[in-house]
Amino acid sequence: MTNSDTNSVSDASNAIPVLQIKADQVAGRASPTLFGLMTEEINYAFEGGLYGELIQNGTFKANPTNAVFWSAVGDAAIALDTNQPLNSALNVSLKLDTSKASKNSPVGVASGGYWGIPVRPNTTYRASFYAKGKSFSGPLTVSLESTNGETFFASGTVPKISKKWQKYEVTLTTGGVAPSKENKLVVSTTKHGTVWFSQVSLFPPTFNDRANGNRPDLMQLLADMQPKFLRFPGGNYLEGNTIATRFNWKNTIGDVAQRPGHMDDGWGYWSTDGFGLLEFLEWCEDLKMQPLLAVYGGYSMRQQHVDPGTNLDSYVQDALDEIEYVTGDTTTKWGAQRAKDGHPAPFPLHYIEIGNEDWFDRSGSYEGRFAQFFSAIKAKYPQLQLIATTPVKGVMPDLVDEHLYPTSEGEMEARAHEFDKHTRTGPKIFVGEWATRVGTPTPDMAGALGDAAWMTGMERNSDLVVLESYAPLFVNVSDLTSNPRSERSMQWPSDLIGYDALTSYGSPSYYAQKMFSNNHGDVVLAIDSQNIPTYTWQPPARRGRNGTQAQPPAPRQVPSLFFDATRDSRSGMIYLKVVNHNGTSQSVHVKISGVNNVESTGEAVVMSASSPDDTNSIQEPTKIVPVTSTVEGLGTDFTRDFPPYSITILKLHSLPENYPDLL
Ligand code: AHR
């Protein structure tokens, strides 16, 4: 499809823009899998986010010298102890000296969770830990309390503690309390002795009641987007700063008490890997999306790489094993391991990405590394589609992953037509990370407008751009300011969905994604256009080589109106998407040819704002949301006003029998 097939942009004028939709001219197939998700451990996305676990540093490995995120209760003495490990994976424990306890002054340990612990009314929580005692046999009291210790929500007792490591579990059920997050979990005693703890855990109810499952409100926000795939586990999180700190999938499966965890040094905090490979896959299963598995490709971000050849063989084998873990039946080694881990059925898998952003590898080794992974994976799994993270020459990847993070809606809108003239003879395109980075911690309406403009370009060209995923997906907004950055709950300041311990919200960009993903047909229609308005955008000056400020580039004319149309072959419904960048209402004349009849009554899904700075937040989670209404006055020739700063999807009813040749 070329630009002239779809639209032509003229200079600004006062003439009303005209969109001529050719309902009988299919410009391309709309990719059924276009809209997906990308995820990694950043901004406390899983730990302190999607992953239901409420206890931060429950394995005591986040810091080698201090029991960070834990505090002593009463006159307790607490310390990390490497002499009493639970096992070789959890090789440090928390030692509690209770010798100053008394009947009226219990001592113990407390966790404040991830910037709070959510307490909800009439809710049952599962607390568990490993413990062993010396001159101490219990009992231990486990309680959910307010941070100031004034309110007790629920408590339970472990009557006896063994001299050997043993797992203990307690259920805690709250009464009719008000929801709150300024709370802590306390494990305490009035008896003397020494007790060690490992793998302390607290789970609220989870989505689909999975034992090691996910937070329901975040899962519901994602389910509402109807995503078709999930790209995981990164991003930088896949690579790590060093080869040693990559996402080493074999360390992330099985019993959580046997997972060593690792430093997520790309983003500066500890990952317990309680949210591991199987949890990613079960997340896909719960939301009926296919996994798009990124395998470690032999490059980590501090310019460490593995040379192609025999040195790389073990990494290629790791990837093959990983694919077998995902897809193999239970007669295979890794399929059997998956069954042992609780999931006998294989998962569907079509896409494998090799590495992440390998254009950063200055050694130039990606050509060879990609080719080695490519031939080994294709030899065993010829049906899999392989994604390169940057163009390569030796072999032709099935797809290439492109990333873009413009910092203004102008820059994003200036790029919205870049796929229109793209060659169709090379690999397909996966826009695996992108966002208009305007607004923090989550994008505002300006960001959403840039995103929507960009999405019209991807959808219009989705014969070529077959997959897209916004990034980053999640941000815990509890701490946006602490120094260093690694101590904040946010490392990357423009993210699709925000939350704290208790509540969550979708940004305007989230709703733009949802609107596009929920409303589209299976074919892209050709559109001619006239009188498309433009505005003047000043591209930013790029820094010169030695830090000097370069001359600003010349200002550019950028369209202020974006659009595309798709049609559903089965229902005949035409979905016209229109984005109005301007702060004034925009009249548009819509003509639809190639169909006899379009009903005058249809539906409009509209998201608009009174200012581009308007946004959603924990305090105002739904300030900017799409509104669906029935509209009149549609047909094959109509004029409609599109509100200021708006994204609109018009659902136009035509009948499938109008397109007999296309059925
Ligand atoms: O999305 C944030 C980061 O941006 C990703 O981890 C990385 O792939 C990209 O540079």
Side-chain angles (χ1 to χ4, degrees), residues 40 42 235-237 267 356-357 360 403 405 433 471-472 492:
E40 66 176 317
I42 180 176
N236 293 355
Y237 184 58
W267 301 115
N356 178 59
E357 297 191 337
F360 283 118
H403 295 178
Y405 287 112
E433 290 182 31
W492 180 280

Side-chain angles (χ1 to χ4, degrees), residues 38-43 231 233-239 267 301 356-357 359-360 401 403 405 432-434 437 470-473 492 494-495:
M38 184 273 167
T39 193
E40 66 176 317
E41 184 60 272
I42 180 176
N43 305 320
R231 172 180 176 233
N236 293 355
Y237 184 58
L238 170 70
E239 307 166 84
W267 301 115
M301 290 184 295
N356 178 59
E357 297 191 337
W359 64 80
F360 283 118
D401 181 0
H403 295 178
Y405 287 112
E433 290 182 31
W434 67 273
R437 300 189 63 192
Y470 185 103
L473 182 60
W492 180 280
S494 56
D495 307 285

Side-chain angles (χ1 to χ4, degrees), residues 307-339:
D307 279 324
T310 48
N311 287 346
L312 194 63
D313 282 345
S314 64
Y315 297 90
V316 173
Q317 189 56 50
D318 262 356
L320 293 171
D321 293 348
E322 191 172 7
I323 296 168
E324 188 174 285
Y325 185 88
V326 178
T327 63
D329 65 33
T330 53
T331 63
T332 63
K333 175 178 172 195
W334 290 103
Q337 180 64 48
R338 186 196 60 241

Side-chain angles (χ1 to χ4, degrees), residues 243-491:
I243 296 172
T245 51
R246 72 191 186 279
F247 181 83
N248 189 352
W249 73 270
K250 286 176 181 163
N251 287 344
T252 74
I253 56 172
D255 180 2
V256 289
Q258 299 286 346
R259 301 184 195 180
H262 75 287
M263 194 61 192
D264 175 9
D265 52 4
W267 301 115
Y269 60 94
W270 184 258
S271 171
T272 63
D273 289 325
F275 198 94
L277 177 59
L278 187 59
E279 286 72 26
F280 281 109
L281 294 166
E282 290 180 338
W283 174 11
C284 292
E285 184 170 72
D286 282 346
L287 297 190
K288 300 180 177 54
M289 52 188 181
Q290 57 173 303
L292 188 157
L293 179 66
V295 297
Y296 180 71
Y299 168 74
S300 296
M301 290 184 295
R302 294 228 171 114
Q303 296 300 322
Q304 289 191 2
H305 77 275
V306 185
D307 279 324
T310 48
N311 287 346
L312 194 63
D313 282 345
S314 64
Y315 297 90
V316 173
Q317 189 56 50
D318 262 356
L320 293 171
D321 293 348
E322 191 172 7
I323 296 168
E324 188 174 285
Y325 185 88
V326 178
T327 63
D329 65 33
T330 53
T331 63
T332 63
K333 175 178 172 195
W334 290 103
Q337 180 64 48
R338 186 196 60 241
K340 194 166 158 226
D341 295 343
H343 202 288
F347 294 90
L349 185 67
H350 303 294
Y351 294 102
I352 299 288
E353 180 156 9
I354 293 151
N356 178 59
E357 297 191 337
D358 287 85
W359 64 80
F360 283 118
D361 173 9
R362 293 197 291 270
S363 75
S365 67
Y366 191 59
E367 279 286 339
R369 288 189 286 110
F370 182 81
Q372 194 168 333
F373 277 91
F374 185 93
S375 60
I377 297 174
K378 284 280 185 189
K380 191 159 182 205
Y381 301 101
Q383 76 284 7
L384 289 180
Q385 300 275 292
L386 301 187
I387 305 170
T389 71
T390 189
V392 286
K393 295 192 200 82
V395 286
M396 177 149 129
D398 298 298
L399 296 95
V400 174
D401 181 0
E402 294 189 4
H403 295 178
L404 73 160
Y405 287 112
T407 50
S408 71
E409 69 273 35
E411 189 178 343
M412 193 54 133
E413 289 166 359
R415 298 185 63 172
H417 288 274
E418 76 181 27
F419 294 121
D420 293 350
K421 288 186 175 155
H422 199 286
T423 172
R424 263 54 178 175
T425 56
K428 299 280 187 198
I429 293 174
F430 169 31
V431 186
E433 290 182 31
W434 67 273
T436 313
R437 300 189 63 192
V438 185
T440 183
T442 49
D444 56 22
M445 188 64 191
L449 288 167
D451 292 347
W454 174 250
M455 283 192 284
T456 61
M458 288 196 289
E459 186 172 70
R460 182 170 58 246
N461 292 285
S462 69
D463 62 312
L464 171 71
V465 182
V466 293
L467 307 164
E468 72 82 17
S469 45
Y470 185 103
L473 182 60
F474 286 135
V475 60
N476 186 319
V477 300
S478 301
D479 179 352
L480 307 178
T481 53
S482 283
N483 267 322
R485 184 178 76 147
S486 59
E487 286 181 9
R488 297 175 207 157
S489 61
M490 175 178 78
Q491 285 74 45

